Amino acid sequence: MVSLLINVALFSRMAAKEFYKLTPIKLGAEVRGIDLKQDIPVEVIEQIKTDITKHRILVFKNQGTVSGSRHVEISRWFGELESTFYKHPKSPHPDVFRVSNDEAEGCTGVGRTGWHIDGSFQPAPFGYSLYHMVSVPKQGNTVFAPLNEVVSGLTEEQRWRWEQLWMVSDRRGGPVHPLIYSHPLTGNKTLCFHLGMTEFFLVGLPHAEKRRTEWKETNQIMMEIHQELVKNNKAIQYSHKWEVGDFIISDNLAVGHEASPQTQLPVEEVGLRVLHRTTVKGTVPPKKNYTVEPPAEHQEL
């Protein structure tokens, strides 16, 4: 009966083209009035996709506990899943990455190697990341940052330098990606980076010969990227404090993220933290769909 009433209410909103309620937050939007555990009509799924592209992060509130199999079903709305991470014995599904502050419950230390997007070591980084906190601790936020705003906030000289940088991952043979590139759906400039999984950078314009950075220069570049994410007292960041029932869908190509230090505090201090995550396979390798133009005054790298 409850399920029937929920579906009746949903179809009533569909008739009025109001599938759910969106409330803007610092980065993205909170979503209420929809239960992801129920069968979701195609029209609503398409609207969710549109809203994720627009808002970059959707935080679905009051979802209760979403099973691993349902988490995977929701993820498949966005494409094929790509699971490249460690498997934990307590993961509810082979495609669900289970992380925790207790090694008996999930993989520990995840997300603490530096700001990043997921899948930078792939030919095409993951398109979407979907998160569900199944055991909520007193502390342990996930922190996000809007990447187009990071690029927009650079000085002309910084942007000129960053446009000539190409990250080389330290995993899987080191695929090479432009640091700044065009988001495949919006065309907005975004970043492909991982501050904990970069072997070195190549320096040069898209069709020019490139040189390889030594470790000192590589580290300086990564510190500069980090500084852009934390400057002005972390003003650009959105720190999400998890609540029971939260389910987040993020555009992984539009937002960077990092696990806060508190995610690894002991269970005795903050309680058990268990997060489930899935990642959707990327389909478009990072590419600059524009011509890189130098500022009026610039230095050669």
Side-chain angles (χ1 to χ4, degrees):
M1 178 61 73
V2 173
S3 177
L4 176 61
L5 292 174
I6 290 173
N7 286 331
V8 168
L10 177 58
F11 279 100
S12 297
R13 291 198 299 273
M14 285 178 60
K17 300 299 182 183
E18 296 178 357
F19 303 139
Y20 41 76
K21 181 181 178 181
L22 286 174
T23 303
I25 54 179
K26 184 175 181 180
L27 175 57
E30 287 186 348
V31 183
R32 288 181 168 82
I34 186 172
D35 184 353
L36 294 176
K37 298 188 298 299
Q38 304 295 319
D39 290 335
I40 305 298
V42 173
E43 296 88 344
V44 181
I45 293 173
E46 291 305 311
Q47 186 60 52
I48 289 172
K49 293 178 181 179
T50 297
D51 285 331
I52 290 170
T53 299
K54 177 180 179 180
H55 296 285
R56 297 176 283 190
I57 294 177
L58 294 183
V59 182
F60 292 82
K61 305 297 290 185
N62 305 315
Q63 296 302 308
T65 299
V66 179
S67 70
S69 59
R70 182 56 180 166
H71 192 146
V72 168
E73 289 174 357
I74 295 167
S75 305
R76 287 178 176 151
W77 296 348
F78 303 93
E80 178 185 350
L81 270 66
E82 190 160 45
S83 306
T84 60
F85 33 75
Y86 299 108
K87 310 296 183 183
H88 192 275
K90 288 198 174 181
S91 175
H93 190 282
D95 286 321
V96 172
F97 187 27
R98 182 178 170 100
V99 303
S100 182
N101 59 345
D102 180 348
E103 63 182 11
E105 293 293 334
C107 299
T108 58
V110 176
R112 289 294 306 138
T113 57
W115 281 90
H116 61 283
I117 65 169
D118 290 329
S120 61
F121 52 86
Q122 297 287 85
F126 303 140
Y128 301 89
S129 295
L130 295 87
Y131 310 85
H132 180 47
M133 189 70 74
V134 296
S135 181
V136 181
K138 291 184 288 185
Q139 299 180 56
N141 292 10
T142 302
V143 191
F144 299 91
L147 299 180
N148 180 251
E149 284 85 333
V150 173
V151 176
S152 300
L154 300 174
T155 65
E156 282 193 351
E157 183 62 33
Q158 278 181 303
R159 192 175 303 129
W160 168 241
R161 288 190 287 105
W162 286 30
E163 287 281 16
Q164 298 179 74
L165 294 175
W166 307 73
M167 83 156 280
V168 181
S169 176
D170 65 0
R171 311 293 166 93
R172 302 197 172 201
V176 178
H177 296 310
L179 176 61
I180 300 179
Y181 73 102
S182 306
H183 189 287
L185 295 181
T186 66
N188 293 334
K189 289 187 177 182
T190 189
L191 298 172
C192 181
F193 74 113
H194 195 307
L195 299 186
M197 290 172 54
T198 299
E199 184 74 14
F200 56 88
F201 291 92
L202 296 177
V203 183
L205 291 171
H207 301 294
E209 185 177 347
K210 298 173 179 60
R211 67 174 178 84
R212 170 177 172 165
T213 59
E214 299 298 332
W215 170 243
K216 182 178 180 180
E217 185 180 5
T218 301
N219 191 54
Q220 288 173 339
I221 293 168
M222 290 195 291
M223 288 299 295
E224 183 179 356
I225 296 170
H226 175 81
Q227 182 57 34
E228 289 302 313
L229 290 158
V230 302
K231 69 181 184 181
N232 301 325
N233 196 28
K234 305 179 181 179
I236 204 168
Q237 299 179 14
Y238 164 60
S239 183
H240 181 73
K241 181 174 176 56
W242 291 92
E243 296 181 347
V244 175
D246 283 357
F247 190 101
I248 291 180
I249 306 177
S250 74
D251 179 343
N252 178 60
L253 305 180
V255 296
H257 64 277
E258 181 182 47
S260 66
Q262 292 78 18
T263 58
Q264 296 306 304
L265 290 175
V267 174
E268 296 76 19
E269 185 175 343
V270 298
L272 180 64
R273 184 183 195 269
V274 177
L275 175 70
H276 288 169
R277 190 202 72 184
T278 56
T279 44
V280 178
K281 183 177 182 178
T283 57
V284 182
K287 180 182 178 183
K288 297 177 186 288
N289 295 323
Y290 54 88
T291 301
V292 178
E293 299 288 350
E297 297 182 6
H298 64 276
Q299 296 179 349
E300 296 298 329
L301 295 184

